[in-house]
């Protein structure tokens, strides 16, 4: 059938009003309901005939309130109004039956059968009454009475299949379409108007205004298969409405549209159209009479994902305009696992491309979320700031105390020329001195260090910093030219942040630098900011020193006790046993006599058994305890010395 | 409507659903639980909230299925009434007024009439709970006073799980402290058994819960030290025995036998559901990591579903194969709300700390828990006395791109350990990604935290007890990690609050009594504002046109408003404000004041000291948490008193963790007008099998007459001769007087309209079919009926059927 050829799209609908759910029929014939708030699979329903009679169309029923609001006198603090819930879904199947599914119950509500002989192409709920309309390939429209579940009325609507239906917001008119669009009066079931213009099957029908039909302000939209235009038709009271008044250009055949009517005069009608090529087009237009030129979208939106380095487009499945007029609810990705997202949109940009990581979230099996816990991504790329690292504290130049003042002075008062000259001289002298030494001793450590610092060669530097000889370090630092001092300090501080073991060696270098080059360092104008991070680091490391030594002391105490305990046990086990045989008996008697006094033990034998068991256990415990006692006394004797040792060490 | 203003305080969900054990309906389709002053009905399949049974005026304290009719449920409440509901349609059938505060309800089917056993707290004595048997009188009226009370025990444990009915209602067992009492109804005697407070190993023996075996004379008791004792032979006081089983390491919170009595379920703080095989010694199965300690366990009547309710306000539905098939999650209530109430700018969900170590996202629009965001990412061990990481502070930036959290450990003991984490929202993966972790951001506890509100640069300010406040900025370099930008302090005072002005050009930090104003660009201290009496408690800048004002409240009942242009005090009033909350979308500021045991609300604009709106006596508790939530659709109230609710809605949390809000009349009207009930018949054939089998079965049921069981269940020696019975039996097979039966057996259903229609239809059916024959045969048989049957028939005749006539007339 032509209609089926055009209907490659799988049904995919957001629930009305607040878009809480997304109902989607995937290729496997299952209906899945996704929660757009938590972005998880809410329910999965497998129609009993999902393989033979695939679901062809899905429509959400009008929202129902969960319960009636009691009109009695209200108390001060009662429950708020129950939120509106979109509950019922009507599913048309290829077999001609209509299923009604309840999301609240998670089960089929009822089935409507015996209405059609061909596949159902479109299902529409009446906005107020509990009436459902369905259009089918068998060229008929059926009106179902949901209270009884029977066909109330059925009429032939077209010569070809009925591919699309739409009910006016006031519930009085019905649009049906095959090739031609017909407007029916629902009371009399008579054709009210006919609109011709599409050459292919009309797949989409949608009312654009809520105003009554007597005035000329009634508009509706239609879109047909293989047609890259959406047409707007005006229903005029004078009957001069043979041609469409406005058309919107698209990039491909429309698949899913959502329309937001205007509430007031200066608000345009908004239209979101998802095309077959996976793009979304947004239109804003004031519906006011004919417009000759086809309108182009205000904004086009596309989703893509990165596959390797090249972006790959991700098809959009559905889109809905949120009630707050600022956000757009999108569903994209695969039908089996769509990704839902609420994005704010701005119409200032004509083309928007959202880059999303779709593959990262795709998994083979989807469970309905039971745990309701989301885990945010924690990867290695995140940074960890611990006390001492730069960035943990403010860069020191800005401390509000004296440092700041000094800095301010420095920055405000310019250096006199004399000072500058002096500095130049100093540095020149330093460089000369450096050169002098280097010319004498080419293989010296200092030269190597300077070279390493200049070339930032990590290999050389690591080699140099591995020396442990104090004298060598001192001499090397002493021979260092002043301009190499700062780079050295920076290198040292960066190395100090690394492994604490390496820091042990670095500290010696630090010491040497600070003792040898204090005069040069103090002459630097931006000394505070240069050395700030080093200062922070030292401070934070030292801060923990006291606690660590305390911990060390405690651990040491424990470990020595454990050690002595073990050794004492190994040695003293045999000798103690003989001693204890005698004491055991005396304690046994004590225990026994106490137990006999218990009233509950008389009452049942079982308890006595237990008691007896416990007695023997107690004996053992007792013995063990005494063992321990002896051991401990020994251990204590040993460990008495420990605290003193500790304090000495500290 | 209420007095002058049409703004009302309404509860908007988030109430506790774990107070009492949930009930699974007989067909396993619904879970019922007591929640606040209503009973909530959930679907077991979809975990959706279907509706609630409203009518009680105080906390619902117990629910029990009506043993006589499995579609009805009894609920008792602290308001002193017991109500009978049809829970499928949510209809109140009857109210029994008892007049004492009720604390639990136990229903037994084996007692004549309907007897309820309720925990009662008499008004005169405090802290003394009585167990009382109540006979519910039968009457057609809606409200009945139940006066037949007889005390079973005058002192029982306040814990309702310490009382349980025994096998077929023969006895009732209740425990208190160290004493187990069993009251036998036949003998009208109480036997008591007591344990010693501690045994040799120092274990605590106090009873914590009781369950009775449904078919065996066996009572299972849970104890504080985690032991389960199975008591047998307690019919004789002297020769009773018990066996002990021990797995739980801490108190056993709940025990429950499966309906056949083959298994015993137990749960405790360790959040592991344990299934013990009855009579098989120590064989057991476990279902671990259910999250939150288990408070109650209940089973469905066919034993296919278990329900556990947890301390984190959650009900878990578990299949009998020990597979979790559903979670009904309410607003998670920890010990307290550490974080403020926040709104996630992306999803507009309410965010606060939920499960330990998690932030919970709760949709206010739908009154539904969305998910928990795992911040700490460490396994939480449910054990008493452990010190574990908890999320204590959280903040969103204005667009929802950044989330800052503070997790903390060591509130109770040892050294304080805390971590500041900054999460970036990654649009590609649609989830938060950890950006920077800062350990020991301050040397002492972080008191408050806020993001700058400008849209270009984001900045986070934290204040801590070490007397410093720090400003954190995103590094300009490569990866936009966060680093400290500035450390500020003021005379070594402890900073308490911090707040950015609307355009982020100013930062106000309060140091006890002094408010300092800083410029975030240059970090200059611009000015200090001081109003001596009292430490600053809350601080906020005015919004929009009032952004030149700074409002602060102090602990000494002062609300001050400074003009930042003149740096002078604009106005101040003396009012005790417990919470100050500015609306980000308008100039309005809401202040909750707590005076003389109730809270009042004032809404004002900072430019004038006169409140726009006042609401006296909002609730009786102090309010510390409140938040303005932007509306999805703007209202256009012109009324001055409700104008402040046009753009956003004010939600607040009481100390009982009830989430309340203010609603306006127009809002309600709109909701009423838009919500219409869709009537859809759902009794239509579901499958082709049903079409075939269902019809057949219905016919069979029609044939099934009430005289069958009466005949078959009477002892043989009492029956008349077989020849007499034969004709009666045959004729009874012909009669279909289901309609009559319906009415006599369930007079309580009279109130439900649906039932009426139903029965009426059947009546018509049977009338049309076999009216003549039926009447004839009944007349024939009557002389030969047994006395019991005669009595019943008389009763049927006496029953008033006038209501039916009215109905038939009314039907078109």
């Amino acid at each position: 059938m032509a209609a089926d050829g055009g209907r490659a799209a799988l049904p995919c609908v957001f629930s009305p009003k607040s878009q809480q759910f997304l109902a989607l029929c995937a290729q496997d014939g299952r209906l899945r309901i996704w929660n757009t708030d938590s972005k998880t699979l809410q329910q999965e329903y497998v129609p009993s005939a999902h393989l033979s009679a695939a679901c062809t169309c899905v429509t959400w029923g009008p929202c129902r309130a969960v319960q009636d609001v009691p009109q009695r006198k209200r108390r001060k603090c009662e429950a708020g109004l129950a939120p509106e819930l979109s509950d019922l879904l009507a599913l048309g199947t290829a077999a001609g039956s209509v299923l009604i599914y309840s999301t609240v119950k998670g089960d089929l509500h009822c089935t409507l059968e015996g209405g059609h002989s061909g596949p159902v192409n479109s299902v529409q709920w009446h906005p107020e009454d509990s009436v459902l309309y369905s259009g089918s390939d068998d060229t008929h429209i059926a009106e179902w009475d949901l209270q009884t579940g029977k066909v109330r009325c059925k009429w032939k609507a077209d010569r070809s299949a009925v591919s699309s239906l739409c009910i006016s917001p006031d519930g009085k008119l019905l649009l049906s379409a095959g090739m031609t669009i017909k407007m029916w009066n629902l009371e009399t079931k008579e054709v009210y108007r006919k609109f011709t213009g599409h050459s292919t099957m009309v797949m989409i029908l949608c009312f654009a205004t809520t105003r009554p039909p007597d005035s000329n302000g009634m508009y509706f939209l239609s879109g047909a298969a293989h047609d890259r235009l959406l047409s707007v038709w005006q229903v005029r009271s004078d009957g001069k409405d043979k041609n469409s008044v406005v058309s919107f250009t698209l990039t491909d055949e429309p698949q899913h549209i959502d329309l937001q009517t205007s509430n007031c005069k200066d608000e345009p009608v908004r239209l979101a159209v998802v095309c077959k090529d996976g793009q979304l087009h947004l239109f804003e237009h004031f519906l006011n009479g004919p417009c000759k030129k086809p309108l182009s979208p205000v904004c086009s939106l596309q989703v893509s994902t990165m596959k390797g380095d090249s972006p790959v487009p991700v098809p959009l499945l559905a889109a809905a305009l949120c009630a707050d007029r600022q956000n757009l609810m999108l569903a994209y990705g695969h039908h089996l696992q769509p990704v839902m997202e609420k994005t704010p949109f701005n119409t200032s940009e004509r083309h928007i491309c959202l880059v999303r990581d779709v593959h990262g979230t795709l998994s083979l099996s989807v469970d309905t979320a039971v745990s309701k816990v989301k885990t945010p991504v924690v990867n290695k790329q995140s940074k960890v700031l611990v006390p001492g690292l730069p960035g943990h504290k403010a860069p020191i130049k800005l401390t509000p105390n004296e440092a700041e003042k000094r800095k301010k002075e420095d920055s405000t008062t310019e250096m006199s020329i004399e000072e500058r000259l002096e500095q130049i001289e100093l540095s020149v002298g330093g460089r000369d001195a450096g050169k002098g030494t280097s010319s004498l001793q080419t293989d010296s450590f200092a030269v190597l260090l300077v070279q390493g610092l200049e070339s930032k060669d990590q290999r050389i530097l690591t080699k140099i910093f591995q020396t442990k000889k104090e004298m060598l370090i001192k001499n090397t630092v002493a021979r260092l030219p002043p301009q190499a001092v700062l780079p050295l300090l920076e290198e040292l501080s960066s190395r100090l942040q690394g492994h604490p073991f390496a820091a042990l060696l670095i500290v010696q270098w630090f010491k040497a630098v600070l003792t040898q080059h204090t005069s040069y360092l103090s002459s630097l104008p931006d000394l505070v900011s240069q050395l700030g991070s080093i200062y922070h680091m030292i401070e934070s490391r030292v801060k923990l020193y006291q606690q660590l030594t305390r911990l060390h002391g405690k651990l040491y105490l424990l470990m020595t006790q454990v050690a002595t305990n073990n050794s004492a046990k190994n040695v003293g086990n045999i000798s103690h046993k003989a001693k204890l045989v005698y004491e055991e008996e005396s304690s046994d008697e004590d225990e026994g006599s106490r137990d006999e006094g218990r009233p509950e033990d008389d009452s049942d034998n079982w308890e006595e058994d237990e008691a007896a068991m416990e007695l023997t256990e107690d004996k053992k415990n007792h013995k063990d305890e005494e063992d321990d006692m002896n051991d401990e006394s020994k251990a204590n004797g040993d460990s008495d010395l420990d605290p003193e040792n500790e304090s000495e060490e500290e | 409507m209420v007095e002058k203003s049409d703004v009302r305080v309404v509860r908007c969900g988030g109430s506790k659903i774990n107070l009492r054990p949930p009930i699974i309906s007989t067909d396993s389709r619904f879970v019922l639980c007591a929640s606040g002053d209503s009973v909530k009905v959930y679907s077991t399949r979809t975990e959706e909230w279907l509706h609630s049974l409203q009518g009680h005026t105080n906390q619902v304290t117990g629910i029990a299925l009506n043993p006589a009719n499995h579609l009805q449920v009894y609920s008792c409440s602290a308001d002193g009434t017991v109500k009978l509901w049809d829970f499928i349609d949510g209809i109140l059938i009857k109210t029994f007024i008892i007049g004492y505060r009720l604390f639990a309800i136990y229903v037994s089917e084996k007692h004549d009439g309907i007897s309820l056993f309720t925990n009662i707290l008499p008004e005169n004595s405090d802290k003394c709970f009585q167990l009382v048997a109540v006979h519910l009188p039968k009457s057609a009226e809606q409200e009945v006073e139940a006066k037949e009370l007889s005390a079973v025990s005058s002192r029982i444990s306040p814990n309702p799980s310490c009382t349980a009915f025994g096998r077929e209602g023969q006895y009732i067992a209740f425990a208190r402290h160290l004493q187990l009492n069993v009251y036998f109804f036949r003998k009208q005697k109480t036997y008591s058994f007591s344990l010693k407070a501690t045994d040799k190993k120092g274990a605590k023996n106090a009873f914590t819960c009781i369950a009775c075996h449904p078919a065996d004379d066996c009572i299972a008791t849970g104890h504080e030290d985690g032991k389960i004792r199975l008591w047998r032979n307690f019919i004789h006081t002297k020769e009773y025995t018990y066996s002990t089983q021990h797995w739980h390491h801490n108190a056993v919170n709940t025990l429950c036998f499966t309906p056949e009595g083959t298994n015993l379920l137990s749960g405790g703080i360790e959040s592991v559901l344990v299934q013990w095989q009855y009579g098989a010694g120590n064989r057991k199965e476990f279902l671990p990591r259910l999250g939150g300690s288990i408070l109650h366990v209940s089973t469905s009547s066919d034993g296919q579903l278990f329900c556990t309710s947890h301390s984190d306000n959650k009900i878990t539905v578990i299949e009998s194969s020990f597979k979790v098939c559903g979670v009904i999650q309410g607003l998670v209530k920890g010990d307290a709300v550490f974080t403020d109430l926040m709104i996630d700018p992306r999803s507009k969900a309410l965010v606060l700390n939920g499960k330990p170590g998690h932030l919970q996202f709760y949709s206010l629009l739908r009154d539904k828990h969305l998910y928990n965001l795992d911040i700490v990412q460490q396994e939480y061990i449910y054990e008493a006395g452990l010190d574990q990481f908890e999320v204590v502070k959280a903040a969103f930036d204005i667009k929802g791109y950044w989330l800052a959290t503070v997790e903390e450990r060591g509130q109770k003991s040892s050294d304080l350990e805390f971590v500041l984490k900054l999460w970036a929202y990654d649009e590609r993966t649609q989830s938060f990604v950890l950006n920077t972790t800062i350990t020991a951001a301050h040397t002492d506890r972080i008191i408050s935290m806020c993001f700058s509100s400008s849209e270009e640069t984001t900045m986070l300010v934290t204040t801590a007890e070490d007397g410093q406040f720090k400003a954190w900025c995103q590094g300009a370099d490569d990866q936009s990690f966060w680093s400290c930008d500035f450390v500020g302090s003021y005379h070594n005072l402890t900073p308490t609050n911090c707040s950015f002005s609307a355009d982020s050009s100013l930062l106000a930090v309060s140091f006890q009594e002094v408010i300092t104003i800083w410029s975030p660009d240059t970090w200059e201290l611009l000015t200090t504002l001081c109003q001596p009496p009292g430490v600053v408690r809350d601080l906020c800048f005015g919004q929009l046109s009032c952004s030149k004002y700074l409002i602060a409240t102090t602990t000494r009942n002062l609300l001050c408003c400074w003009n930042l242009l003149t740096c002078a005090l604009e106005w101040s009033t003396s009012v005790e404000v417990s919470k100050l909350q500015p609306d980000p979308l308008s100039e309005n500021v809401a202040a909750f004041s707590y005076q003389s045991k109730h809270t009042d609300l004032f809404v004002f604009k900072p430019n004038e000291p006169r409140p726009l709106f006042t609401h006296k006596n909002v609730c009786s508790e102090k309010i510390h948490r409140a938040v303005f939530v932007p509306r999805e659709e703007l209202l256009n109230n012109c009324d001055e008193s409700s104008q402040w609710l046009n753009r956003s809605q004010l939600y607040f949390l009481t100390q009982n963790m009830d989430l309340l809000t203010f609603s306006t009349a127009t809002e309600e009207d709109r909701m009423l007008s838009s919500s219409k009930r869709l009537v859809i018949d759902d009794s239509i054939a579901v499958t082709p099998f049903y079409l075939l089998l269902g019809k057949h079965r219905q016919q069979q049921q029609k044939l099934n007459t009430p005289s069958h069981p009466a005949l078959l269940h009477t002892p043989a020696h009492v029956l008349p001769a077989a020849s007499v019975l034969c004709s009666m039996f045959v004729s009874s097979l012909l009669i279909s007087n289901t309609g009559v039966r319906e009415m006599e057996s369930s007079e309580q259903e009279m109130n439900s309209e649906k039932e009426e229609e139903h029965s009426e239809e059947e009546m018509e059916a049977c009338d049309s079919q076999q009216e003549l024959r039926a009447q004839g045969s009944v007349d024939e048989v009557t002389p030969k009926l047994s006395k019991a049957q005669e009595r019943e028939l008389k009763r049927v005749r006496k029953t008033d059927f006038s209501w039916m006539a009215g109905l038939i007339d009314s039907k078109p």
Side-chain angles (χ1 to χ4, degrees), chain A residues 583-611:
Chain A
E583 292 176 4
E584 202 175 77
E585 282 171 354
S586 67
S587 70
D588 194 20
E589 274 172 16
D590 275 351
E591 289 261 325
S593 61
R594 199 150 39 90
D595 278 337
E596 274 161 20
R598 294 180 185 188
E600 79 178 66
D601 285 353
D602 305 336
S603 55
D604 65 71
N605 299 325
W606 194 87
E607 176 65 13
E608 269 178 8
D609 281 352
E610 196 187 49

Side-chain angles (χ1 to χ4, degrees), chain A residues 17-21 35 37-39 42-43 62-69 71 74-85 88 103-111 113 125 128-130 146-149 306 323-324 332 339-342 355-357 361 370 372-379 381-387 391-395 398 400 543 547 595 598 600 603-604 606-607 610-611 614 617-618, chain B residues 1 8-12 29 37 43 45-52 54 56-57 194-196 200-201 238-244 324-325 327 329 346 355 358 363 365-374 377 415 423 427-441 443 470 472 479 481-487 617-619 632-633 660 668 671-672 674-682 684-686 691:
Chain A
K17 291 243 163 115
S18 54
Q19 287 100 29
Q20 190 187 1
F21 299 115
N35 191 330
D37 290 327
S38 55
K39 292 165 178 108
Q42 182 93 3
Q43 288 161 32
C63 288
R64 338 189 256 181
V66 172
Q67 64 194 117
D68 295 340
V69 181
Q71 289 297 316
R74 286 159 168 152
R75 285 180 308 106
K76 236 200 106 248
C77 206
E78 88 260 60
L81 285 173
E84 286 178 35
L85 213 65
L88 296 176
T103 52
V104 171
K105 282 199 292 184
D107 206 349
L108 212 56
H109 198 81
C110 62
T111 50
E113 275 175 340
W125 294 81
E128 274 147 36
D129 305 330
S130 47
L146 292 176
Q147 289 187 35
T148 58
M306 298 301 276
D324 56 4
Y332 51 84
V339 182
M340 287 139 285
E341 189 188 337
K342 200 177 198 176
V355 181
R356 294 292 181 263
D357 195 4
T361 53
V370 162
K372 299 200 171 170
V373 171
K374 271 198 178 180
T375 316
V377 182
V378 174
N379 50 22
Q381 280 161 22
S382 70
K383 194 180 182 184
V384 179
L385 278 181
V386 294
H392 190 271
K393 281 196 174 174
L398 286 174
K543 194 188 278 170
Q547 290 174 3
D595 278 337
R598 294 180 185 188
E600 79 178 66
S603 55
D604 65 71
W606 194 87
E607 176 65 13
E610 196 187 49
E614 280 170 7
E617 264 181 35
D618 273 6
Chain B
M1 287 279 152
R8 301 184 302 119
V9 181
V10 290
R11 179 176 297 142
C12 59
R29 275 168 62 203
D37 52 8
S43 157
R45 288 213 17 202
T46 61
E47 304 129 43
E48 293 280 336
W49 170 42
L50 299 178
H51 53 255
S52 53
Q54 285 177 340
H56 282 293
T57 53
S194 56
L195 291 170
K196 276 199 294 176
K200 284 142 278 175
K201 288 173 185 166
K238 286 285 166 192
E239 291 147 31
Y240 72 94
T241 61
Y242 65 76
S243 60
T244 313
V324 176
C325 62
V327 175
Q329 175 83 66
R346 281 179 177 276
K355 275 170 67 165
H358 292 65
S363 167
L365 194 67
R366 312 191 215 292
D367 185 18
K368 218 177 150 196
H369 183 90
L370 297 180
Y371 52 86
N372 278 308
L373 190 71
D374 193 352
Q377 309 213 339
D415 278 345
W423 307 82
E427 287 189 320
R428 283 158 151 261
T429 49
Q430 298 281 306
S431 80
F432 281 103
V433 177
L434 183 64
N435 183 278
T436 311
T437 312
I438 303 163
T439 50
T443 48
K470 284 189 177 183
W472 307 86
Q479 295 228 305
F481 291 129
W482 289 72
S483 61
C484 183
D485 186 44
F486 176 67
V487 182
N617 203 357
V618 170
C619 67
E632 199 145 84
E633 284 174 79
L660 305 175
E668 277 158 30
M671 275 197 118
L672 273 179
S674 71
S675 60
K676 282 178 196 87
R677 224 161 212 276
L678 208 62
V679 188
I680 292 178
D681 180 24
D682 62 345
I684 300 165
V686 174
L691 275 176

Side-chain angles (χ1 to χ4, degrees), chain B residues 124-171:
Chain B
N124 45 9
S125 62
D126 48 305
K127 299 284 168 215
C128 174
F129 290 85
Q130 288 188 356
L131 185 66
V132 171
V134 182
H135 184 81
L136 295 182
K138 281 187 181 176
S139 102
E141 287 163 56
Q142 269 263 325
E143 286 200 3
V144 191
E145 227 171 301
K147 283 178 181 159
E148 277 182 62
L149 305 182
S150 55
V152 175
S153 168
S154 58
R155 281 180 77 82
I156 63 157
S157 159
N159 181 358
S161 54
C162 279
T163 309
F165 263 110
R167 173 166 69 96
E168 292 170 348
Q170 285 180 354
Y171 55 88

